[in-house]
Amino acid sequence: MPMVFLAGASYLASFGFRAFGWRQLFPSRERPDGARCLAACGAAAASGVVLPFRLDYVVKISTLRRLGGVTLGLKTIAVSIVALGMIDAVAMLPLAVSALVMSGPVLRAPLIVVVLFCTGCLAILTLGQRMARLPLIGRSDRLHAVYRRVADSTRFSRQTLVAGLLLLACWTSRALGSTLLLGALGVRFSPTLALVVLCMSGATSILPITAGGAVAGMGTTAGVLFALGVSKGVAVNFSLAAGLMLTGAAVAAAGLGLSGSLLLSFRERRVFAAPIPPSVELSCLVPDGLARTSGNAPSLGS
C-alpha cells in the first residue's frame, strides 16, 4: 500500500508540473495564475475518460475562461494549447529515445513513430518563423497568422525553457508512478517497462479520434505489458489501476485548483472592498504644496 500511495502522489504531481508548464506559455499580460491552470488541466484529464474526439480541449478552455481572473481570449488559449502539445512532445523525446534503445523488436515500430513525431515538433520549434515560408502555411492567411503566434509563444526564451523542464518533470513523475505501481503488483523494477509503457500510453494522446485519453491509454498499456512478457492478469490489473489512479489524480488536481482559484478570487474581492484609511483620503484630497506649508495653511474644512 505505501507504494500505491506514492504512485498516486507521483501521478498527482505530474498534473501540477503540467499545469505550471502550460502557464509559462501564455503572454505575460494574459498569464493566468497556477491554480486556474491546475483546475483546467485536471478537469480536462478527468473528462477525457468519457469524452470522444478530444473534446477534453473544450473542457480545458471553458474551465479556464469561467474561473475568471485575467481576461483571456479564445485564440490566446488555443495557441497556448498548441504550443503546449509541441513542447510536450519535445520533452518526451529523451524518454522516447531511451525506450526505443532498450525495447525489443516487438515495439520498435510504434516507438519509432513516437520518436519521429517528437523530432518533427523539435524541428518546427527550432526553425521558428522560417516555417511560415512553406507553401502549405503561406497560402492561408489564417493559418499563417496562427503559426506566427505559436512560433512567438515557443521561441527560445526563459519561459519556454522553464515550460520544457516542467513538462519533462511531468513525464518523469508519471514514469516513477508507473514503476511504483508495477512494483506494488509484484513486477520487479524495470526502467524499460516504465519508459515503454509511458511513451506508448502518452502517444495515444496524439490521436484525435479516441474514446478518451484514459480509456485508450488503458488498452494500450495492457497490450504493451503483455507484449513485453508480463502475465495477462498483471497487465490488465496494472492498466485498470493506472487508469483509475490517473483519473482520481486528475479529479484531485481539479479540486485543488478550483479551491485555490476561489480563494484567490475571495482575496481579490476583499482587497477591492477594503475601506480606504483616512490618512490616504486626506493625502489624496490635499495638494502636495498645500500639505508642506506651515501652520497658517487653510484647513480642509475652510
Side-chain angles (χ1 to χ4, degrees), residues 28 39 80 87 99 125 135 165-166 181 190 194 199 204 213 218 225 283:
S28 57
S80 70
I87 297 181
L125 295 181
L165 293 176
L166 287 171
L181 189 56
S190 173
C199 293
T204 58
M218 285 189 290
L225 287 175
S283 64

Side-chain angles (χ1 to χ4, degrees), residues 23 52 62 87 101 156 237 271:
R23 180 178 179 270
S62 60
I87 297 181
V101 171
F156 185 77
N237 287 338
V271 169

Side-chain angles (χ1 to χ4, degrees), residues 33-125:
D33 57 77
R36 293 179 174 91
C37 292
L38 181 61
C41 286
S47 64
V49 179
V50 293
L51 292 179
F53 305 110
R54 307 307 304 177
L55 290 179
D56 54 325
Y57 289 156
V58 179
V59 176
K60 179 181 287 188
I61 294 173
S62 60
T63 302
L64 191 62
R65 297 189 72 182
R66 285 180 177 273
L67 287 179
V70 179
T71 303
L72 294 171
L74 183 61
K75 185 179 292 186
T76 300
I77 302 176
V79 168
S80 70
I81 291 177
V82 174
L84 175 66
M86 296 178 68
I87 297 181
D88 202 14
V90 175
M92 191 196 288
L93 181 59
L95 300 178
V97 172
S98 302
L100 178 62
V101 171
M102 292 187 293
S103 65
V106 178
L107 298 173
R108 189 162 295 166
L111 283 174
I112 288 175
V113 175
V114 175
V115 171
L116 289 177
F117 178 81
C118 297
T119 306
C121 291
L122 177 61
I124 293 174
L125 295 181

